[in-house]
C-alpha cells in the first residue's frame, strides 16, 4: 500500500527535478550550507558570507559567457586568457597615457574581449573548426603574446590607477560583527546581478536568445527554422569574449594588481560551475538561474575548504569530481528527457 503511494510521489519529484534542474542545484546548495555551517560555525559570519558573495562576481560573469557558448553546443576555454589580456593591456594603456577614469577603460577592455571572441567565431563558423581546438589555440596564443611581446611583469597596487581601485573597493552594505570587526558587501555583486539579469532577458525574450537554444538543438534544425547560424555564432562568441574582457578588468580593480600570469587553470572551475548549474554539455538546455546557483555552490565548497585549511590539492580533486558528477547527471537527465 505504502509502496503504491510512494511510487507516484517519487516519479513526480523526479519529473520536477528533470524539468527544473535549478531546484536540484538550489537544494544541493542549501544542504551544503547547513552541513558546512554545522562543521564550522564561522561560515555564518557576515564577513565570510560577504566574502563568499564577492568571490561569486568574477567567476559568475565568466560563467555567463561560457553558459551561452555551451547552450549553442560549443565550448570555450580561451576566456581566462582573453580576460587577463583585456585587463593587462587596458591598465598598461591607462598608466602610459596617463588616464585615471573608469568608464572608458571598461569599454576598452570589453572591446578587446569582443574582438578576440569574434576571432574565435571566425574560426568556428568560417573554417568549421572544433570549438575546443579553436579556443585552446587562441587562448594559448593570446597568453603567449601577452607574456612574450607585452610584459611578464606584474603591475602592483602602487602603480594601479587610483580610480580603478576605488571602483573595485566600493561597498553597499556595512555591518559590525560580534567581535566589533566591520564587514562590508562589495558593490560589484550588483554589477554581476545586473549582467546576469541582462543575459537572462536576452535568452528568454529575444530572437537571438531563441536562436542560441535552437543552435544547441542542431545546426541544420536551426537553419530550417529560419535562424542565421553565422550571425548567431558570431554573436555567441563575441558576447562571451566581451564578458571575459569586462570581467578581466573588474578582476584587476577588485584585487588591486594586474598579473599577466593570473587565471591560469580557471577554465575548469568555471566550466564545472556551469555544468553543475544544469547546462547540458550537448547544448540546448540550461538557464542563467541554474548557472548562478552552480557558481554559488562551487565557490561555497572551495571557500569552505579554505576555511577548514584543506590543502589546495584536495580542492582541485573536489572540483574535478564536481565536473565528472555534474556532467554525468546532465547526460543522464538529457537521456531521460529524450526517451
Amino acid at each position: 500500500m505504502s509502496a503504491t503511494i510512494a511510487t507516484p510521489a517519487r516519479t513526480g519529484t523526479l519529473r520536477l527535478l528533470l524539468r527544473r534542474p535549478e531546484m536540484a542545484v538550489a537544494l544541493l546548495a542549501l544542504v551544503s550550507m547547513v552541513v558546512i555551517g554545522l562543521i564550522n560555525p564561522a561560515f555564518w559570519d557576515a564577513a565570510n558570507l560577504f566574502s563568499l558573495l564577492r568571490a561569486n562576481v568574477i567567476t559568475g560573469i565568466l560563467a555567463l559567457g561560457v553558459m551561452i557558448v555551451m547552450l549553442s553546443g560549443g565550448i570555450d576555454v580561451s576566456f581566462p586568457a582573453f580576460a587577463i589580456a583585456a585587463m593587462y593591456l587596458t591598465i598598461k594603456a591607462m598608466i602610459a597615457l596617463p588616464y585615471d577614469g573608469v568608464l572608458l577603460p571598461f569599454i576598452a577592455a570589453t572591446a578587446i574581449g569582443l574582438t578576440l571572441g569574434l576571432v574565435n567565431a571566425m574560426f568556428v563558423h568560417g573554417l568549421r573548426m572544433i570549438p575546443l581546438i579553436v579556443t585552446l589555440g587562441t587562448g594559448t596564443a593570446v597568453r603567449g603574446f601577452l607574456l612574450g611581446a607585452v610584459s611578464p611583469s606584474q603591475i602592483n597596487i602602487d602603480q594601479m590607477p587610483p580610480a580603478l581601485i576605488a571602483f573595485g573597493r566600493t561597498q553597499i552594505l556595512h555591518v559590525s560583527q560580534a567581535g566589533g570587526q566591520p564587514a562590508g558587501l562589495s558593490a560589484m555583486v550588483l554589477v554581476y546581478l545586473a549582467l546576469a539579469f541582462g543575459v537572462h532577458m536576452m535568452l528568454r525574450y529575444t530572437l537571438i536568445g531563441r536562436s542560441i537554444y535552437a543552435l544547441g538543438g542542431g545546426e541544420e534544425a536551426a537553419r530550417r527554422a529560419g535562424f542565421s547560424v553565422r550571425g548567431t555564432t558570431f554573436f555567441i562568441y563575441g558576447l562571451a569574449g566581451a564578458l571575459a574582457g569586462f570581467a578581466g578588468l573588474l578582476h584587476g580593480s577588485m584585487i588591486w594588481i594586474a598579473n599577466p600570469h593570473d587565471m591560469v587553470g580557471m577554465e575548469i572551475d568555471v566550466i564545472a560551475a556551469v555544468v553543475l548549474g544544469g547546462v547540458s554539455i550537448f547544448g540546448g538546455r540550461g538557464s542563467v538561474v541554474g548557472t548562478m546557483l552552480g557558481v554559488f555552490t562551487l565557490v561555497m565548497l572551495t571557500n569552505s575548504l579554505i576555511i577548514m585549511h584543506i590543502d589546495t590539492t584536495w580542492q582541485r580533486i573536489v572540483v574535478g569530481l564536481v565536473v565528472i558528477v555534474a556532467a554525468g547527471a546532465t547526460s543522464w537527465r538529457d537521456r531521460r528527457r529524450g526517451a
Side-chain angles (χ1 to χ4, degrees), residues 50-62 87 91 102 106 155 157 160-171 184-192 195 246-259 262-263 266:
F50 288 168
S51 173
L52 181 60
L53 292 174
R54 186 178 185 274
N56 273 251
V57 174
I58 301 303
T59 304
I61 296 173
L62 293 172
M87 172 195 69
I91 293 176
V102 173
F106 271 101
I155 299 172
I157 184 171
M160 289 284 286
L164 205 57
I165 293 178
F167 179 73
R169 296 179 66 174
T170 308
Q171 296 182 336
L185 177 62
S186 173
M188 302 307 109
V189 175
L190 295 182
V191 175
Y192 169 42
L195 287 173
F246 181 89
L249 188 58
L250 191 63
H251 175 67
S253 74
M254 292 175 71
I255 63 172
W256 314 333
I257 58 171
N259 184 358
D262 207 351
M263 288 193 182
M266 191 175 182

Side-chain angles (χ1 to χ4, degrees), residues 45 175-182:
D45 289 350
V175 297
S176 294
Q177 301 184 95
Q181 294 292 325

Side-chain angles (χ1 to χ4, degrees), residues 6 16 33 40 48 53 122 130 138 141 164 192 223 250 258 262 279 299:
L16 180 62
M33 290 175 71
N40 187 353
N48 182 60
L53 292 174
M122 184 183 68
I130 300 171
T138 55
L164 205 57
Y192 169 42
R223 187 175 286 110
L250 191 63
D262 207 351
V279 176
V299 170

